[in-house]
Amino acid sequence: MDLSWTTLPKDVTDLILAHLSSADAARARVVCRSWCAAISSTSFSLLQKQVQGQRGGPHPASLLLYNHSLKISTACEWPPCDPDSSSAAPVSWADINLPFRFVREWVGHPRSGAVCVRTHLATSLQQFFIGSPLSGTTNGISHWVPIPNPPPTPSASLSKLWAIISTAPSHTTSACPNSPHISSNHRFWVLLLHLHARVVSLNIFDSESGTWQMMPVPASTQCPDSEVALALALAPHAPQLLSFSSRADCIGDTLYSIQPEARSITTFDVQRKAWKHLPYALPEDLVFQAKTNDRFLETPPKLIQGWKNSVLLVGTASRTNPEHHDRTMAEPGDVGTVWELIMSPPDHVGVDGCGPWRKLARCPFPATMCHMLLEEAAECRMKGGDVMPIRYTGYGDFVLVMAPGATRGIRLDMMHEVWTWVDMPAGINCELALCFQPK
């Protein structure tokens, strides 16, 4: 009796493949032509969403954008990408009103949907609030609860809201000390970066204890098992693992931060208070700034949680040879390049990655979409601005490229390798963009 894959009915084969994650399904496309045709079809996307929804699998990514009219614009359902359509995908946006007069900073945790908002810098006012905008609202207003302000710091110091991590509780449900209205159904940590006298420190709020704890950021020479740390140790003045300008991206329950000067990635485990360097340097052709024919691009890369054990890096690639030329020239088509790093399982002891970085996708060529995105943003921005910022967000197989002022963004469906337009709400701040996929 022949039990090979070729003897299975097509609907059975499609049903089996639909249980794969988007990343695994994308890899399965190269097995044979029939699998490639099945996985690339629109009907397969619908089947995969239905199957994975029934078994508690990944749901569509939810995008939150801060709106200058003191509300959050959210999109939770994304239509299938149509590669033959030049118009923007019809996305249904909903608004959630905020009970604040001003939002200075916010950070979010992709898997739990928890968000921390900072409304003021003045220590005499309530600064920080915790909420979960995706969990529901009352009369269109989301629920937010305050957490204690951190202890006063020297007047010459600077602080920045850096990250929030939320996990399952370690004990039975109880109230958060110092904030009895906060339930500890999920334990969370809020992290601030502090800069004083050129020294960077972390101030961490633990909901279980209800207190803040200041801890120094170690020097690069103190990070164990790191080739990057060894190289930096040979420098006359070994820098700290983090700079104050560092951004934090949540991958699982670990914080990842790109260090442009060392072209490396630092990780921080908040529960273990453990620092590490990833053993693989950033891709050679990744650039943080780029000059096109008519404008200067500011393109800080972003790390995104991929499926299973993968980390995605979204940024801008340079077309020049990094060994012989300046790595600052790029074409608009290089904006939105995606690399992937396969990480070791959490229980694996040893190397933290199975790298090196592998390039997965880049904006379509010719780069008509990127040209139009930059032109739209340039028209909306005030005159005199020579720098064009590009921002990225995403989760899983969803990647979005944005430019402040543009009325549209560019979405990448990584499983089908399709780029499409997405209409963006008016008045949004691309700097405050969060992408979630709560369990």
Side-chain angles (χ1 to χ4, degrees):
M1 181 178 180
D2 188 1
L3 298 178
S4 65
W5 279 92
T6 57
T7 62
L8 291 177
K10 182 180 182 302
D11 56 341
V12 175
T13 302
D14 291 350
L15 186 60
I16 295 174
L17 294 175
H19 284 76
L20 296 175
S21 69
S22 296
D24 290 337
R27 297 185 181 98
R29 293 172 54 188
V30 303
V31 172
C32 61
R33 292 183 179 180
S34 61
W35 284 20
C36 181
I39 295 173
S40 301
S41 65
T42 303
S43 60
F44 179 81
S45 297
L46 300 176
L47 177 63
Q48 186 187 43
K49 182 184 298 185
Q50 178 184 3
V51 168
Q52 305 219 9
Q54 291 175 348
R55 66 183 181 94
H59 299 280
S62 300
L63 179 64
L64 274 64
L65 298 171
Y66 175 67
N67 197 300
H68 288 293
S69 56
L70 291 179
K71 59 186 178 182
I72 299 176
S73 298
T74 67
C76 300
E77 293 292 335
W78 301 94
C81 288
D82 184 2
D84 300 323
S85 175
S86 59
S87 59
V91 179
S92 178
W93 292 94
D95 290 334
I96 301 175
N97 295 320
L98 293 171
F100 314 120
R101 294 184 178 181
F102 183 71
V103 173
R104 181 178 180 87
E105 301 170 302
W106 75 355
V107 290
H109 187 246
R111 293 202 303 176
S112 67
V115 176
C116 180
V117 169
R118 187 180 196 178
T119 58
H120 300 281
L121 290 180
T123 56
S124 60
L125 301 174
Q126 179 62 46
Q127 292 185 341
F128 301 97
F129 295 84
I130 300 292
S132 181
L134 298 178
S135 63
T137 61
T138 300
N139 297 325
I141 300 178
S142 54
H143 304 292
W144 299 87
V145 293
I147 64 173
N149 286 350
T153 56
S155 58
S157 64
L158 301 175
S159 66
K160 179 175 72 173
L161 182 57
W162 200 52
I164 180 173
I165 295 289
S166 178
T167 66
S170 58
H171 304 291
T172 57
T173 301
S174 60
C176 171
N178 300 332
S179 294
H181 44 272
I182 300 179
S183 171
S184 60
N185 287 332
H186 284 83
R187 184 183 181 186
F188 63 85
W189 295 263
V190 176
L191 293 87
L192 296 179
L193 274 186
H194 276 268
L195 177 65
H196 179 65
R198 299 184 179 181
V199 177
V200 180
S201 303
L202 269 182
N203 203 358
I204 304 175
F205 175 81
D206 186 347
S207 65
E208 194 169 72
S209 65
T211 60
W212 291 85
Q213 179 185 5
M214 186 78 77
M215 63 175 296
V217 175
S220 300
T221 54
Q222 297 174 319
C223 186
D225 303 326
S226 171
E227 294 181 5
V228 176
L230 180 60
L232 292 174
L234 301 177
H237 303 285
Q240 291 181 275
L241 285 174
L242 292 179
S243 63
F244 186 71
S245 60
S246 299
R247 301 167 181 254
D249 296 310
C250 295
I251 309 295
D253 294 326
T254 303
L255 293 174
Y256 286 60
S257 182
I258 297 174
Q259 306 305 308
E261 297 82 4
R263 295 193 65 84
S264 64
I265 297 175
T266 298
T267 69
F268 179 65
D269 186 326
V270 68
Q271 297 190 64
R272 300 178 182 177
K273 302 296 188 293
W275 298 88
K276 284 188 178 181
H277 272 299
L278 284 190
Y280 301 102
L282 296 175
E284 284 291 333
D285 54 347
L286 174 71
V287 294
F288 297 79
Q289 300 173 345
K291 184 179 181 182
T292 62
N293 294 332
D294 54 352
R295 60 177 54 88
F296 189 80
L297 302 180
E298 188 244 333
T299 61
K302 182 173 180 60
L303 294 166
I304 294 174
Q305 171 76 65
W307 294 124
K308 293 190 176 180
N309 297 323
S310 68
V311 176
L312 302 181
L313 173 65
V314 188
T316 299
S318 172
R319 289 181 180 270
T320 58
N321 186 335
E323 296 181 358
H324 302 92
H325 302 286
D326 184 12
R327 292 186 297 186
T328 59
M329 291 300 296
E331 295 295 331
D334 299 313
V335 173
T337 303
V338 181
W339 294 266
E340 181 187 44
L341 178 67
I342 304 298
M343 302 299 294
S344 301
D347 57 351
H348 178 76
V349 179
V351 180
D352 291 322
C354 304
W357 293 95
R358 180 172 67 98
K359 188 175 294 186
L360 292 183
R362 59 182 297 272
C363 270
F365 184 84
T368 307
M369 298 178 75
C370 287
H371 276 292
M372 295 177 65
L373 177 70
L374 296 178
E375 290 299 327
E376 278 191 13
E379 291 178 3
C380 295
R381 291 174 63 83
M382 297 179 62
K383 295 182 180 180
D386 298 328
V387 178
M388 177 65 65
I390 302 294
R391 297 294 180 261
Y392 310 104
T393 190
Y395 192 97
D397 61 351
F398 172 89
V399 175
L400 186 65
V401 182
M402 303 171 289
T407 59
R408 298 181 293 179
I410 304 178
R411 169 196 171 194
L412 167 63
D413 182 338
M414 291 189 57
M415 187 175 72
H416 297 93
E417 298 180 4
V418 174
W419 296 82
T420 54
W421 288 111
V422 173
D423 278 329
M424 306 295 283
I428 62 168
N429 184 348
C430 294
E431 298 285 349
L432 300 180
L434 301 174
C435 199
F436 294 104
Q437 191 157 37
K439 289 184 177 180

